[in-house]
Structures are given as structure tokens and as C-alpha cells.
Amino acid sequence: MKFGGHPKKDKEELIKNNPLAFSSSSNLVTATSRLVLETSDNDGTFLNIEIFDHSMAQKDDSSSSSPSSLPILLFIPGVCESAETMSVQKIVHHAKEVGVRVAVVELEGHGLSSGHGRCLCPDFSRLLQQTVEFISFVLSQIGACENEVPYAVCGASMGGALAVY
């Protein structure tokens, strides 16, 4: 998908109008919603965030946890990965089994996110700032502070480095 030449609002709409991650296969865990984050870089970069929240579909009603208080894993994939890679699929599959929600950011230039250098790491500091924005944005969207929602941040490869930096 090429973003060049599109006004800023069109970039956001291009992300929002795409199918959710894994929605084209019945054998895979499908994302349940999407968030779009406009970064503070002031250059019109939008990050796609796929949400895997299957708490509403849980058959076991014996849990006293409301969906809004269930833990969430904030996952940052590595270079050349997106919310639609099999490593993400394995993580969300296991998270679904244990009742953990997952938010997966597609880094700048990856997946549906706009930005510089498709599937590259042109500027680690820039990606680090975007990772901080991703964490803050998702936690604010789910009301983590008000609801004391447990969360963890992790990643694979370069995403792992961003998570612990």
C-alpha cells in the first residue's frame, strides 16, 4: 500500500478501511478491533494497532474479571513483521487461551502503518518514541489507570529491544 501523495486524513482512512488482521482465515485468531495512532512526529505518520480481545467470547462465565480489568499484552513486532505474521498469531492464540488481551502495533513502515522505509529501521530513536506513544495511547484507550489493568510490554527481535529500552 502506498501512502505517498495522500493527505493526512486519507492515510488514516486507508488504515481504518482495511480488514482486521487475520480476518480472511477461519483457522486463525482474528483481531477484534483496531486503533489508529497519529504520532507526534508532525509528519503525518499513522500507526496501526490491532487489538485481539476475545474476552466477550469466553464461554467460562465463572471468572469474576470484567473484560475491562483483564490483563493486556502490548506487543511490538520486529523488522519485517506486522500484526499478520505467524509469530503474532502464536502469541495471540496462547493469550486467548489464558484470557489475556493483546494489542499489536505495526511499526512505522510496516503492515498498514504509514511512514518512512518500508520494513526497515531508519531511525531507532524515532521508533523508540513511537513505542512510548503506542504504550501510552493503548493504556489510555482501555482506561488502564482508572481500572488498575495489569499489563506487560514485550516484543520480538527489534521490537523486544524497543520494549526493554
Side-chain angles (χ1 to χ4, degrees), residues 6 9 11 25 38 42 45-47 56-57 69 85 93 96-97 105 108 114 129 156:
H6 292 286
K9 196 65 177 168
K11 291 178 187 178
S25 175
E38 182 177 6
N42 295 322
T45 300
F46 287 88
L47 301 182
M56 299 302 213
S69 66
T85 55
H93 175 76
K96 180 181 177 183
E97 288 180 347
V105 66
E108 178 177 13
S114 65
Q129 177 58 39

Side-chain angles (χ1 to χ4, degrees), residues 2-92:
K2 186 175 180 181
F3 285 94
H6 292 286
K8 195 162 79 168
K9 196 65 177 168
D10 287 348
K11 291 178 187 178
E12 184 176 6
E13 289 304 314
L14 282 171
I15 293 172
K16 285 183 178 179
N17 292 331
N18 271 279
L20 294 170
F22 297 110
S23 60
S24 60
S25 175
S26 60
N27 298 327
L28 301 171
V29 181
T30 303
T32 54
S33 62
R34 167 179 292 138
L35 298 171
V36 179
L37 167 63
E38 182 177 6
T39 65
S40 64
D41 298 326
N42 295 322
D43 64 357
T45 300
F46 287 88
L47 301 182
N48 180 45
I49 303 167
E50 298 284 329
I51 306 295
F52 296 85
D53 181 358
H54 296 87
S55 58
M56 299 302 213
Q58 295 290 333
K59 294 179 183 173
D60 180 12
D61 292 333
S62 63
S63 172
S64 60
S65 297
S66 69
S68 63
S69 66
L70 290 175
I72 187 162
L73 176 66
L74 305 170
F75 185 76
I76 305 133
V79 174
C80 295
E81 290 188 314
S82 72
E84 291 196 303
T85 55
M86 289 312 293
S87 61
V88 170
Q89 184 60 205
K90 289 179 181 182
I91 289 167
V92 299

